[in-house]
Every structure is written in C-alpha cells, then in structure tokens.
Amino acid sequence: MQSYTIGQAARLLGVSPDTARRWADAGRVATHRDEGGRRLIDGRDLAAFSVEVGQNGGGAGEDDVSYTSARNAFPGIVTAVKLGDVAAQVEIQAGPHRLVSLLTREAVEELGLEVGMQATARVKSTSVHIDRA
C-alpha cells in the first residue's frame, strides 16, 4: 500500500501542508510514522478522506464553497494590483508561475484583492479568472 507524506497529501488535496497537518492533528485523517519519524497517510485513507473533503467543499463552510467550470487552478499570493478608472491588472505568484489577469476595477474591489493576500488564478482557454481564497 502506498503511503503519502503530509506535504504530498496536501498537494493532492489542493491545500497547504499546514492545513493537512491540522486535519491530521485533529484526527480527521489517520497517520502513522515511518522509520525516519515522518508522518504518513495510507493511500486508502487518503483516498477516502479526499472524497469527504470534496463533498464538503474542501473542508470549508458552505458559504466558502466556490463553483466554477474553470479547472486549471493556480493558488498563490497577490503580488501587484494596478487599478485604472475602469480596468485593473492583478498579478499572482503561484509557485514558479507568475500570472497576470486583466479584469474590471469593480471585480477587484468586490473581491477585496490586495497585495499579500491569497488568491487563486483559474485559467480557461485564454482567460484568467481570479477567486479570492
């Protein structure tokens, strides 16, 4: 049976390692330690937990669930917001990827986007959509 580290599980679940660690600490998913002392999650347990997380909107409350048809998600941090009279430009650093989205000023204000906050860039075709984290 394949086992996964907390970091690997976090990537598969689409959450931060800290979130995966908190879930393990709270007993939401079972872990065991390898010879080196690393916490591991059995593949079957992770598969079952991932279904639970998916059904519960990523572990977030119902109000936090986001529905979208854009599947290419790049969670990251907002590094720049340039506001014009009508349009805006938002830059997100998602790991090694720098994504730039042109959207309306109104959308940026409604999302409350600011430098330093977490956000997810969703890419579909040639459009980049921004979801607030």
Side-chain angles (χ1 to χ4, degrees), residues 54-123:
Q55 290 172 342
N56 294 328
E62 285 296 318
D63 294 338
D64 296 334
V65 176
S66 174
Y67 298 99
T68 182
S69 64
R71 297 292 180 232
N72 301 312
F74 295 88
I77 187 166
V78 175
T79 56
V81 176
K82 298 174 187 163
L83 296 174
D85 291 337
V86 176
Q89 178 178 310
V90 176
E91 294 181 23
I92 293 179
Q93 190 69 38
H97 308 290
R98 177 180 164 261
L99 297 118
V100 179
S101 179
L102 300 176
L103 56 164
T104 65
R105 179 185 181 119
E106 180 180 10
V108 171
E109 290 170 348
E110 283 179 7
L111 290 169
L113 295 175
E114 297 177 352
V115 171
M117 72 184 314
Q118 288 184 313
T120 301
R122 294 193 187 273
V123 181

Side-chain angles (χ1 to χ4, degrees), residues 11-33:
R11 279 189 297 282
L12 291 169
L13 295 168
V15 298
S16 72
D18 286 340
T19 296
R21 208 170 286 111
R22 282 191 298 272
W23 286 344
D25 290 343
R28 290 189 61 190
V29 63
T31 63
H32 64 278
R33 298 218 181 245

Side-chain angles (χ1 to χ4, degrees), residues 14 52 132:
E52 176 189 326
R132 182 173 174 186

Side-chain angles (χ1 to χ4, degrees), residues 31-45:
T31 63
H32 64 278
R33 298 218 181 245
D34 68 3
E35 309 81 26
R38 295 183 309 167
R39 283 200 294 184
L40 300 175
I41 302 170
D42 286 333
R44 289 187 193 275
D45 291 337

